[in-house]
Amino acid sequence: MQTTNTKTNTEPNKTDKRIKLLDITMKRNHYRQDALIEILHKAQSAFGYLEPNVLEYIARGLKLPLSRVYGVATFYHLFSLKPSGVHSCVVCMGTACYVKGSDRVLTALERELGIHVGETTSDNQISLMSARCLGACGIAPAMVFDGTVIGKQDPEIAVEKVKGWQERVNGHSPLQES
Ligand code: FES
């Protein structure tokens, strides 16, 4: 029998609150295999996209072949297996973050990058995504920059971060006004 050769050997960080959210979701669904789509949806909502190690984690949790999990994740268009940009930026739009101003952070990033949430800059450098709760409500508003959850964000801090990415890649910031 053919297997999907997609194993990464990278364990998700168990202290990552998004993984804890995933654990809670799987437990709440009694690790039922027919809850796969709901769990993938939760994972995408928490991570912004479905990282390979997260798919492996779900496959182990539900005792499903990894090929089956990949099969479902790639079949449905609502799931994204990776951000298309070199860098990924996920803004949490869950309630706790929203009331602390994550909508303003998202708007500032959209304006700065010239893209909407769910899109990637034309140079394929930065993908901007949103999530519904990162499991880090205590440090709202929270964001994920290249896989690292960072809290207490505001529009200025977030915009500086993405400008830094652009500067490192291009040697200058194409976002700066001349
Ligand atoms: S609502 Fe943003 S981390 Fe929970």
Side-chain angles (χ1 to χ4, degrees):
M1 192 174 126
Q2 228 179 355
T3 55
T4 305
N5 184 24
T6 44
K7 196 160 175 51
T8 63
N9 292 322
T10 310
E11 276 286 322
N13 181 357
K14 290 287 275 182
T15 61
D16 186 330
K17 290 183 174 170
R18 296 171 297 171
I19 289 295
K20 289 182 180 162
L21 267 185
L22 211 46
D23 283 338
I24 290 168
T25 305
M26 288 196 285
K27 191 172 180 188
R28 192 184 298 136
N29 283 282
H30 307 289
Y31 300 93
R32 284 190 350 261
Q33 296 180 341
D34 62 6
L36 175 60
I37 290 178
E38 183 180 338
I39 290 159
L40 287 174
H41 193 71
K42 186 67 175 183
Q44 168 132 327
S45 162
F47 288 83
Y49 63 99
L50 299 172
E51 301 175 18
N53 58 353
V54 169
L55 292 177
E56 287 171 22
Y57 191 74
I58 292 170
R60 275 198 301 277
L62 301 186
K63 295 188 170 41
L64 278 169
L66 185 56
S67 56
R68 168 88 186 284
V69 175
Y70 265 92
V72 172
T74 52
F75 181 78
Y76 292 99
H77 291 303
L78 73 151
F79 296 130
S80 171
L81 264 57
K82 58 182 172 69
S84 45
V86 173
H87 297 287
S88 62
C89 182
V90 183
V91 181
C92 182
M93 295 296 282
T95 306
C97 289
Y98 187 85
V99 299
K100 293 259 176 112
S102 63
D103 58 326
R104 283 186 283 109
V105 175
L106 183 60
T107 301
L109 286 170
E110 286 181 324
R111 192 180 306 126
E112 192 63 37
L113 296 171
I115 57 174
H116 292 111
V117 66
E119 295 178 346
T120 298
T121 52
S122 57
D123 60 1
N124 286 325
Q125 284 301 313
I126 302 175
S127 291
L128 179 62
M129 292 164 286
S130 66
R132 282 190 298 173
C133 180
L134 302 169
C137 309
I139 54 169
M143 291 187 60
V144 189
F145 290 107
D146 281 347
T148 302
V149 178
I150 301 176
K152 311 275 187 205
Q153 290 295 290
D154 67 28
E156 289 73 29
I157 297 171
V159 165
E160 279 308 307
K161 178 76 179 174
V162 298
K163 277 184 172 177
W165 282 338
Q166 295 273 17
E167 285 168 4
R168 272 202 297 279
V169 169
N170 300 322
H172 70 283
S173 172
L175 304 172
Q176 279 174 343
E177 290 175 7
S178 55

